[in-house]
Amino acid sequence: MSEAPTVTQENANAEQPQGPRSFLVSSAPHLASGTSTRCIMFQVVLGLVPLWLAALYFYRLDALILPLVTVAACLIAEAVANAMRGRDQRSLTDGSAIVTGLILAFSLPPDLNPYMAFIGGVVSIALAKAIFGGLGQNLFNPAMVGRAFLMICFPAAMGIWTEPVTLARIGDTAVDGVTMATPLGAAMDPSVLIPSLWDLFCGRVGGSLGETSALAVLIGGLFLVFRRVADWRPVLGMLATAFVYAAIAHRINPEFEGPMFHLFAGSMMFGAFFIATDYVGAPITPVGRILFGIGVGGLVMTIRLFGAYPEGVMFAILIMNALTPLIERWTVPTPFGGHVAAAG
Amino acid sequence: MIAELLDGLKGLKSFPRGIHPPHRKGYAEAEPIRLFSPKQDLLIPFVQHIGAPCEPIVKAKQDVAYGEKIADASAPVAAPIHAPLAGKVGAGTMAVLPSGRRVPAIPLTPAAEGEPVPAHFLEQYLDRNWGGVEPSGFDPDEICQKIRECGVVGMGGATFPTHIKLKRNPAKPIDTVIMNGCECEPYLTSDHRLMLESPEAIVVGLQLAARACGAQRAIVAIEANKPDAIEVMRQVVRDRPGVEVAVCATKYPMGGERQLIPAVLGRTVPSAPKGLPLDVSVVVVNCATTHSIARAVVRGQPLTHRVVTVTGLGVSRPGNWLVPFGTRFSELIEHCGGVSEAALKVVAGGPMMGPTVPNLDVTVVKGTSGITVMTEAETARWQETPCIRCGLCVDNCPLHLSPTKIAHAVKFRDYGLAGAYDMNACCECGCCSYVCPAHIPLAQYIRAGKDQVRLKAAAKK
C-alpha cells in the first residue's frame, strides 16, 4: 500500500514534460545590477578600514576594543529587537548594524570605558533604529543618537581626550594616561597651543578614535565616493560651506582659526564622508542632498565658533536629520519633461 | 557621470542618467534571418495594435489567399490584419496575447497543397534592390493610405497605427523623423539583423515617413555597439540626400523616444501622458516599421510577418526568424531546439521591459520583437528588502523621477501622493528596479499604480 503513492508521483513526474510546461511569471525588468544592501554596507566597512588602521596606529589597544564592543552591542540590540518584533534575524547579516557600530566607535574618545561604549551601541540600534521600524525607517542617524546619549549620560568621560601614542616618548610607561586638549578645544582656549596643519592632517592630535586623521578619512571616503556608495553632493556641500564660513569668519575676526584648520580639525572630514552621506537620515533628492550638506556645514561652523561646545558635527547631523522630510518636500525633482500637471 | 563624459568625448549622442545592463546579444547576433514556415494552425488575434479591435471580414471554413485582408475596423485608430499564409479559416475563438490579455481570434490552417506564402518570400522580404525608388514622387496622403491598407503599426512594441502617427497636423508640424535602430534591450537582435540584411528598404521607408509627415530631416539612429550596422547604413545613406546617421551611446534606455530625441536633437519632450514627440516636431519610427512602410507603400506588400529573435540560455538554437503573425511561441521555440530544463522565464520581448508568459500557448503578434528564454543563471527570484534610501533609483531614472517615493506611495495606496511625484510621466523602462540594492520591484509598483489610477478614472466615467 505504501508504495502506491510513490508510483503515482513518479508517473506524474514522467508525464510532466509532455504536458504544457509553465514558467515563472514576474514583472519586468528581469535583470538586476547585482548590487545589494549587504554589498553596499560591506563597501562602507571597507571604506572605514583606513580609519581603523590609523586609529590602531595612534591608540593601539583602545582602537581594537572600542569598535568590537560597539559592533557587538549593535548586533545584540538588533537581534533582541528582531526577536521582540517577531522578525527573522536576516537583518543581522545585512551589515547595517556593523556600520552603525563602527561609526559610533570612531566618534568616541579613545579612552572611553567599554561599558559606556556598549550602552551607546545598544541605544543607537534600540532607540534610534529598531523603535522606528528597523533598517531604512529611522529618522536620525543611529550612531549620532548613541553618541548624543553618551554625552548626556557621561559628560565627563566623553570629554577626555587621550594623547596619541606617537606623541609620547617611546618607552614612556604613562602612555595610557596622558590626556590633552583637542585642536578644537585649543582653539577655544587661548592658553593652549594650536597644532600645525600637517599634524592635523595626519592626525597626530587629540580627538575621537577614528576621526583625527584627515588623511585616513580622505582615503576611505574618496574610495566610497568613487565607488558611488557615498554621494558626492552632501560631502561637497558640507565641506564647501564650512570652508567658506570659516574663511569669512577668519577674515572678519582673525582670532577665529582659518578655513583649512576647520576642515582638518575634529570630525569635519569624518562627518562629511561617513555621517552626512548616511542614506537613511538624509534627503533622497539630488538637490536635497546638497542642501543637507550645506546645512550640516553651516551648523557645524556656527556651533564651533559661537556655541559652548568645541565640536558640532553630531548636533548638526541630528538637526539636519530632523529637517530632512521638509527638505525632501521642498525639492521634489522636476521630471525631464516638466511636471505632469504642468504638461497639460 | 564618467561614462557620459567619455561618450561625449567620443562624439556619441547621449542623454543624462540611464544604465548599462549586460548586452548579451551574442546568442543570436550572428544568425542570419531565416523564414519560419509553421506546420500547425496559426491563431490570429484581432487585437494586434493599440486602438479599436478589428472585426473579421472572412467566414469560417473560407479559403483565404496569402495577404488577403481578414479583419478590419472602421474606427480611425486601427489597422487591418492580413492572412499571413494561404489556407482555410476556422471558427472564431480566443487567443492569449504576450501581454496576457485574452482577445478574439481566428485559427488559420496553412494550405496543404502549394506554397502558403509567395515564392522566394524571404528574398523578396529582404530585397536590397530599392535604387530606383524616389520618395518625393509619392503623395503624403497616399503614403498614409497605403500604410493603413497594409496594416502597418509601430513594431517596436507600442503597436500604435503608423498612418495616424505620420498624418500631417497643421497645428503641430514635424521637421524631423528619427529611425530608431538603437535596439537598447539586451538579448534582442532582430532590428540589428534587419539593418544588416535589408538596409535599403529601411532607409526608403524612413524617407517615405518623412515625406508623409512633411519632415525635412531624416535621421538613422543606431547604438555604438552595432558598428557593422552603422557601416552598412552609412553606405546606403550616401546616395540618399537628406538622410543622416547618428551614432548613439550604448546605454539603456537609448531606444526610448524621450531619451532618443534629447540625445540626437537636444530637444526635451514634455512629460507623458500628454506630452508627445510631436510637441517638439519629431516623429520616431522603429526600424522594422520603416522597413514595413517601404514594402507597403512602394510594393503594396501587407504586414504579415516580422523578424523575431529567439534567444537566451534557455533555448538550444537561438536565431532570428521571419515569422508569420499568429504563430504559437511553442511551435517556434520547438523549431529552435526547444526549451532547456533550466529555463525559468519566457519573456515576450527583451528582459528590461518584456512581459513574461506563463506558458508557450501565446501567439506572435505585430509587436513581438523577440522571445527571450531565461535560465536561473541569467535572471533570479529577488527578495524585496527595506528601502535604505540610497537614491540610486533617483540618480539613474532617465526621466528624473523619484521611483522609490512613487513606489512607496503606491504601496500605501496613496495615489494622490504618487501623482504629486509625477507617476504618470514614468516610461516603465525599469532602470530603477535594475539598480535597486534592496531589490524592490519599483517599476512593478509604479506600473500597478498607473493601472489603478487608470481603472479609477475609467470607473468615474
Side-chain angles (χ1 to χ4, degrees):
Chain A
M1 281 296 280
S2 66
E3 266 178 32
T6 323
V7 172
T8 332
Q9 192 68 43
E10 273 173 9
N11 282 349
N13 282 343
E15 270 166 17
Q16 216 168 12
Q18 284 147 29
R21 186 164 163 196
S22 52
F23 299 93
L24 183 69
V25 172
S26 67
S27 193
H30 310 290
L31 294 176
S33 61
T35 184
S36 66
T37 302
R38 189 181 300 168
C39 174
I40 286 179
M41 295 298 172
F42 175 73
Q43 291 184 69
V44 176
V45 172
L46 219 59
L48 285 165
V49 164
L51 284 68
W52 201 344
L53 290 179
L56 283 168
Y57 177 69
F58 290 129
Y59 302 108
R60 307 291 150 106
L61 199 60
D62 288 335
L64 193 64
I65 294 169
L66 268 194
L68 291 182
V69 167
T70 50
V71 168
C74 286
L75 287 172
I76 291 169
E78 180 94 20
V80 172
N82 282 341
M84 286 170 71
R85 294 171 68 216
R87 302 288 178 96
D88 57 36
Q89 297 291 356
R90 258 200 309 249
S91 71
L92 286 183
T93 54
D94 67 19
S96 61
I98 297 171
V99 168
T100 298
L102 286 178
I103 299 223
L104 173 65
F106 289 176
S107 69
L108 295 176
D111 208 21
L112 192 73
N113 193 320
Y115 93 83
M116 295 176 185
F118 189 87
I119 293 175
V122 170
V123 168
S124 292
I125 295 295
L127 288 190
K129 189 173 150 195
I131 240 174
F132 288 99
L135 182 64
Q137 303 297 316
N138 46 296
L139 291 176
F140 296 99
N141 184 304
M144 290 300 102
V145 171
R147 190 179 190 274
F149 186 85
L150 291 179
M151 264 187 95
I152 294 163
C153 295
F154 312 106
M158 288 292 284
I160 296 173
W161 308 101
T162 320
E163 197 170 290
V165 172
T166 47
L167 278 189
R169 264 176 298 129
I170 302 202
D172 192 332
T173 46
V175 161
D176 261 359
V178 179
T179 64
M180 67 183 295
T182 65
L184 286 168
M188 290 183 98
D189 183 352
S191 66
V192 184
L193 206 67
I194 303 271
S196 73
L197 269 184
W198 177 246
D199 279 345
L200 260 183
F201 183 70
C202 295
R204 283 196 297 259
V205 294
S208 297
L209 188 65
E211 66 189 26
T212 51
S213 170
L215 177 67
V217 174
L218 270 176
I219 294 171
L222 288 177
F223 163 75
L224 292 187
V225 169
F226 280 115
R227 293 289 306 155
R228 298 177 91 171
V229 169
D231 194 354
W232 57 272
R233 298 182 188 97
V235 178
L236 192 72
M238 179 172 163
L239 294 181
T241 306
F243 185 89
V244 171
Y245 196 126
I248 293 172
H250 183 65
R251 180 95 191 197
I252 292 169
N253 181 359
E255 274 182 27
F256 291 132
E257 290 299 325
M260 292 315 281
F261 172 86
H262 278 290
L263 281 195
F264 295 148
S267 48
M268 183 68 85
M269 281 282 166
F270 180 63
F273 280 102
F274 289 94
I275 309 178
T277 54
D278 169 46
Y279 299 141
V280 180
I284 203 164
T285 57
V287 178
R289 285 181 169 184
I290 293 178
L291 289 181
F292 184 87
I294 291 174
V296 173
L299 282 170
V300 168
M301 288 313 299
T302 306
I303 294 168
R304 279 186 179 183
L305 298 185
F306 307 111
Y309 286 94
E311 176 59 303
V313 169
M314 180 188 79
F315 297 114
I317 294 279
L318 291 176
I319 292 168
M320 290 312 290
N321 281 163
L323 288 178
T324 288
L326 192 60
I327 295 175
E328 246 175 26
R329 184 172 281 221
W330 286 338
T331 57
V332 175
T334 306
F336 194 45
H339 284 292
V340 167
Chain B
M1 205 165 30
I2 293 159
E4 263 128 59
L5 222 64
L6 287 176
D7 287 341
L9 288 176
K10 281 187 245 161
L12 301 178
K13 312 280 182 188
S14 192
F15 62 93
R17 310 193 192 191
I19 57 171
H20 297 87
H23 302 166
R24 296 190 187 159
K25 304 234 184 212
Y27 298 125
E29 207 167 27
E31 299 292 327
I33 298 168
R34 281 174 285 173
L35 180 66
F36 177 68
S37 311
K39 302 285 171 287
Q40 295 171 18
D41 290 3
L42 300 183
L43 188 57
I44 302 160
F46 289 146
V47 181
Q48 297 200 35
H49 56 260
I50 284 188
C54 287
E55 292 294 330
I57 49 178
V58 288
K59 290 190 194 74
K61 292 182 184 169
Q62 185 179 327
D63 283 314
V64 292
Y66 166 82
E68 189 180 333
K69 202 195 277 182
I70 53 173
D72 203 348
S74 51
V77 183
I81 292 161
H82 303 79
L85 301 173
K88 195 187 272 289
V89 171
T93 171
M94 299 295 274
V96 182
L97 297 180
S99 64
R101 207 172 140 199
R102 275 171 66 83
V103 295
I106 44 165
L108 175 65
T109 313
E113 61 262 22
E115 281 294 310
V117 290
H120 309 294
F121 184 74
L122 183 65
E123 291 74 13
Q124 194 192 79
Y125 192 88
L126 299 176
D127 183 25
R128 297 194 61 164
N129 186 19
W130 293 79
V133 182
E134 198 42 65
S136 54
F138 290 86
D139 173 63
D141 287 336
E142 188 196 331
I143 296 173
C144 287
Q145 187 56 36
K146 281 190 171 162
I147 287 173
R148 199 213 105 88
E149 272 315 297
C150 290
V152 179
V153 301
M155 290 162 80
T159 64
F160 187 76
T162 305
H163 65 280
I164 305 284
K165 197 171 181 173
L166 295 180
K167 198 161 219 150
R168 287 197 189 192
N169 177 357
K172 290 186 173 164
I174 302 298
D175 59 30
T176 310
V177 177
I178 302 176
M179 189 288 279
N180 186 353
C182 292
E183 204 165 45
C184 60
E185 272 276 2
Y187 290 86
L188 301 187
T189 54
S190 58
D191 288 352
H192 184 187
R193 287 314 306 185
L194 200 59
M195 284 191 283
L196 287 181
E197 297 184 43
S198 188
E200 291 83 0
I202 292 171
V203 174
V204 168
L206 170 62
Q207 286 185 299
L208 286 166
R211 171 88 187 137
C213 60
Q216 289 82 47
R217 249 181 117 183
I219 301 174
V220 172
I222 310 175
E223 269 190 359
N225 65 346
K226 297 180 254 300
D228 46 356
I230 294 168
E231 192 45 45
V232 167
M233 277 296 174
R234 281 199 171 131
Q235 273 170 17
V236 172
V237 159
R238 207 165 287 156
D239 36 83
R240 293 270 166 192
V243 187
E244 52 201 289
V245 174
V247 182
C248 302
T250 307
K251 188 176 178 179
Y252 182 86
M254 183 54 85
E257 306 186 310
R258 286 160 206 281
Q259 286 73 47
L260 188 58
I261 295 170
V264 173
L265 296 169
R267 300 180 195 170
T268 307
V269 184
S271 283
K274 290 203 174 137
L276 291 169
L278 60 92
D279 289 325
V280 291
S281 309
V282 183
V283 164
V284 178
V285 188
N286 168 264
C287 163
T289 315
T290 55
H291 188 265
S292 303
I293 290 173
R295 292 180 66 244
V297 175
V298 179
R299 306 203 167 149
Q301 291 159 339
L303 184 60
T304 58
H305 287 60
R306 71 158 297 150
V307 183
V308 177
T309 306
V310 183
T311 181
L313 265 182
V315 66
S316 311
R317 290 192 299 274
N320 301 289
W321 294 90
L322 185 60
V323 183
F325 301 127
T327 303
R328 284 181 177 83
F329 277 26
S330 51
E331 194 184 356
L332 180 57
I333 289 179
E334 208 49 57
H335 192 74
C336 297
V339 175
S340 79
E341 272 303 303
L344 179 72
K345 291 180 186 176
V346 176
V347 183
M352 289 306 293
M353 287 187 79
T356 51
V357 297
N359 54 54
L360 298 180
D361 196 16
V362 175
T363 55
V364 171
V365 288
K366 291 178 181 175
T368 311
S369 48
I371 303 172
T372 310
V373 185
M374 302 178 88
T375 60
E376 190 107 39
E378 300 165 275
T379 178
R381 307 162 207 248
W382 291 283
Q383 179 91 43
E384 180 177 342
T385 59
C387 173
I388 54 169
R389 296 165 52 86
C390 65
L392 279 175
C393 57
V394 179
D395 282 344
N396 287 286
C397 175
L399 291 173
H400 304 198
L401 305 176
S402 309
T404 181
K405 288 281 182 188
I406 303 171
H408 283 83
V410 170
K411 206 169 176 176
F412 294 103
R413 298 187 187 184
D414 188 346
Y415 302 115
L417 182 63
Y421 281 104
D422 304 289
M423 174 172 70
N424 280 322
C426 173
C427 63
E428 303 176 19
C429 65
C431 289
C432 47
S433 303
Y434 179 84
V435 296
C436 181
H439 304 142
I440 304 169
L442 296 161
Q444 184 177 1
Y445 278 120
I446 297 171
R447 219 172 278 139
K450 285 166 84 173
D451 279 347
Q452 284 300 320
V453 169
R454 206 175 300 137
L455 288 176
K456 282 200 166 116
K460 234 178 241 173
K461 276 178 196 166

